[in-house]
Amino acid sequence: AQKITQTQPGMFVQEKEAVTLDCTYDTSDPSYGLFWYKQPSSGEMIFLIYQGSYDQQNATEGRYSLNFQKARKSANLVISASQLGDSAMYFCAMTLGFNGGATNKLIFGTGTLLAVQP
Amino acid sequence: GAVVSQHPSWVICKSGTSVKIECRSLDFQATTMFWYRQFPKQSLMLMATSNEGSKATYEQGVEKDKFLINHASLTLSTLTVTSAHPEDSSFYICSAIKGRMNEKLFFGSGTQLSVL
């Protein structure tokens, strides 16, 4: 069965420092996509970054980068130069298959609450 | 700006009444939308996949007669919580696929339902 695991319920980070949020996944399907979403207190889900299982390079989007280690089945999110506005809940998610979007159901981890301290 | 609009943002209703939540894709056609439920301080749980022009696909344990989903057009899916009870109080959020690539998944802003 497919599963996403986030082992850090909460984390603190000092403003301007980098932080890594852990995510491991489990699937026997060779085709999958990994996502990170940010959920502030308002509740909306904000897409941050995507990594396909066949992508050769780690995904990067501005201050966000995904440390994709396929053999270890990990997809950690790295946020560089943390800002106060980064304080939120962060969810790692996985979807299976990307052959034209045949399967796009997202399986979410339990989330990590990040608090950025001034 | 937002590409998926969800309405209402919050709703309070009496036990036994039905509540309809709308999810609209604003500038694209979405043949598939998803409905999730999130309890406080918990993760999102997929409830059902809404397919335009056909019946929704419900996840195991989700009552299809309780949570009616209608995807009558390419830009609108609705979730109706029928005969709501306090245990149905939760945060409901929809998502829609833009294009054919997995990464183009956009979420609505969510609806907080409180059943008294």
Side-chain angles (χ1 to χ4, degrees), chain A residues 35 97-104, chain B residues 3-4 25-34 71 74-75 95-106:
Chain A
F35 300 75
F98 42 84
N99 51 337
T103 303
N104 290 281
Chain B
V3 295
V4 175
S25 56
L26 296 181
D27 62 352
F28 64 99
Q29 294 181 333
T31 56
T32 303
M33 292 184 177
F34 301 92
H71 196 152
L74 287 170
T75 60
S95 70
I97 304 169
K98 183 175 183 178
R100 293 175 61 78
M101 298 302 292
N102 273 7
E103 66 268 31
K104 300 298 183 184
L105 273 164
F106 295 94

Side-chain angles (χ1 to χ4, degrees), chain A residues 39 95 97 104-105 108-109, chain B residues 36 38 43 46 59 100 102 107:
Chain A
Q39 187 179 42
T95 185
N104 290 281
K105 295 193 294 186
F108 284 86
Chain B
Y36 292 86
Q38 185 180 28
S43 187
L46 180 66
E59 295 300 302
R100 293 175 61 78
N102 273 7
F107 282 84

Side-chain angles (χ1 to χ4, degrees), chain B residues 25-83:
Chain B
S25 56
L26 296 181
D27 62 352
F28 64 99
Q29 294 181 333
T31 56
T32 303
M33 292 184 177
F34 301 92
W35 287 95
Y36 292 86
R37 183 175 183 177
Q38 185 180 28
F39 289 107
K41 299 183 180 180
Q42 293 189 26
S43 187
L44 279 72
M45 298 298 294
L46 180 66
M47 297 175 66
T49 303
S50 174
N51 304 298
E52 188 270 335
S54 64
K55 291 183 179 180
T57 304
Y58 290 81
E59 295 300 302
Q60 191 173 8
V62 178
E63 300 175 59
K64 57 183 67 176
D65 294 331
K66 174 75 171 177
F67 300 100
L68 299 179
I69 291 173
N70 185 285
H71 196 152
S73 77
L74 287 170
T75 60
L76 174 64
S77 174
T78 61
L79 168 67
T80 301
V81 183
T82 62
S83 186

